[in-house]
Structure formats: structure tokens, C-alpha cells
Amino acid sequence: MAAGSISEDEFWDSVIYFLTLSDKLDRKWTVKEAKIEEEDSSTLQTDGKLEQIVLTYEFHIVYSQSYNVPVLYFNAHFQNGKLLSLEEIWDMVPAVYKERLTQDRWTFISQQEHPLLGRPFYFLHPCHTADLMRNIPALTDKRQYIIAWLSAVGPVVGLQLPLEYGQHP
């Protein structure tokens, strides 16, 4: 297995570790399993709200057997239920990531059918995840993979993990 990637068993170990912390810290994350024989068969999800614009985000973490890394799927909608367009999602990417978005628009954030739910979701493309995670030197415990990964990729789409997640051994 390539450096920076994880097996599905390691993914689940990391999910259990992450959920244990979530139970202690904020109780915002839950596991939902789908009984579908698909290539990507595991999901971790949360609901969150941005306070300034009153958007509701739904985040799912799905293990990709193709890339051997987690993939962040998400949707965002206004109070009236209208989903944000891909262009609106791209417009909301923080300025620090805009150059990368401009260079790699279609391999950065895109939209496709959710592998478990069968409906359109936005997602952060997993093709660079292993490279990203290989470059995180402090990641010696694979149980902390989800925390490190979410801390690195979540801010791109407005998902901020509380610092307390990274302060637990």
C-alpha cells in the first residue's frame, strides 16, 4: 500500500478513534452503514451549520477502495432547501486555496453521484490525498488519520475541526 494511504481496516480503526473523541468533545459525528455492495462501502457523517450565511452542510466521509483513502462528500443548502451550485461552492473556497482551485478545478472539488446514496454530492477529489497525508510527519499513529486528514482538507469546504481533536494522544 502506498505511503499516505490506509487500508479499510485502518480506516475503521481511525473512525472508531475519531468517534470516541467526538463522543467526549461535541457529539456531532455518527456512523451510518449502507447495506450496498459497492466499491466504496463505508461512511461517516455529520451535519453542521455556518452561522454567517445560514447554510446547512451535510458531510460524509466514505472510504475509497480505489484510492485507499477517505473521501469527503458534502452538500450545502440554504434555509429554503435550495442546494448551492458547484460555482457557488467554488466561490466559497477560502482565498488561501483559490490558486489550487484555479489550476485543478475539476480534480479538486467536483460533483458526482454519492457512492452509497445514489444522488448528487460534491466531493473533494481523492487523487492527491495520499500525497498530502504522506507529507504529514507527525502522523505516526494511523488511528489519528481521520483527524489529521479532516484538519487538512476540511477548511477547504468550511469544515473546521475543533482544536481539541488534535490535543488527545
Side-chain angles (χ1 to χ4, degrees):
M1 185 160 312
S5 61
I6 58 174
S7 69
E8 190 165 3
D9 287 341
E10 291 169 325
F11 170 79
W12 279 109
D13 287 345
S14 185
V15 166
I16 290 166
Y17 180 78
F18 181 74
L19 288 172
T20 301
L21 288 179
S22 177
D23 283 347
K24 292 177 186 174
L25 298 173
D26 58 18
R27 298 186 178 274
K28 289 186 178 181
W29 291 87
T30 59
V31 170
K32 298 198 177 188
E33 287 191 74
K35 301 295 182 200
I36 300 173
E37 293 296 322
E38 293 280 334
E39 176 183 326
D40 295 326
S41 61
S42 309
T43 184
L44 174 66
Q45 86 177 38
T46 188
D47 294 324
K49 291 189 184 217
L50 280 179
E51 314 236 338
Q52 299 99 341
I53 305 178
V54 191
L55 291 175
T56 298
Y57 278 79
E58 178 181 3
F59 295 100
H60 294 196
I61 300 170
V62 178
Y63 181 76
S64 169
Q65 291 179 347
S66 299
Y67 289 92
N68 295 316
V69 296
V71 181
L72 185 62
Y73 285 86
F74 65 98
N75 265 330
H77 61 84
F78 296 101
Q79 277 185 309
N80 66 4
K82 179 186 177 282
L83 287 174
L84 273 69
S85 68
L86 182 55
E87 194 66 41
E88 290 170 315
I89 296 290
W90 284 338
D91 288 346
M92 293 178 65
V93 169
V96 70
Y97 305 105
K98 289 288 188 183
E99 182 178 333
R100 175 73 188 272
L101 177 62
T102 302
Q103 294 171 359
D104 298 321
R105 185 164 294 240
W106 295 105
T107 59
F108 191 57
I109 297 175
S110 195
Q111 188 178 39
Q112 73 176 19
E113 185 176 289
H114 190 290
L116 302 174
L117 302 178
R119 57 185 167 95
F121 263 71
Y122 299 108
F123 72 106
L124 291 174
H125 200 283
C127 65
H128 301 294
T129 300
D131 290 336
L132 168 73
M133 297 306 291
R134 179 177 29 251
N135 292 316
I136 298 179
L139 187 61
T140 56
D141 183 350
K142 291 275 188 164
R143 293 178 312 147
Q144 296 177 346
Y145 190 101
I146 296 293
I147 294 168
W149 170 74
L150 271 181
S151 296
V153 303
V156 172
V157 294
L159 176 59
Q160 301 287 337
L161 223 83
L163 290 175
E164 292 82 8
Y165 277 87
Q167 295 173 336
H168 288 271

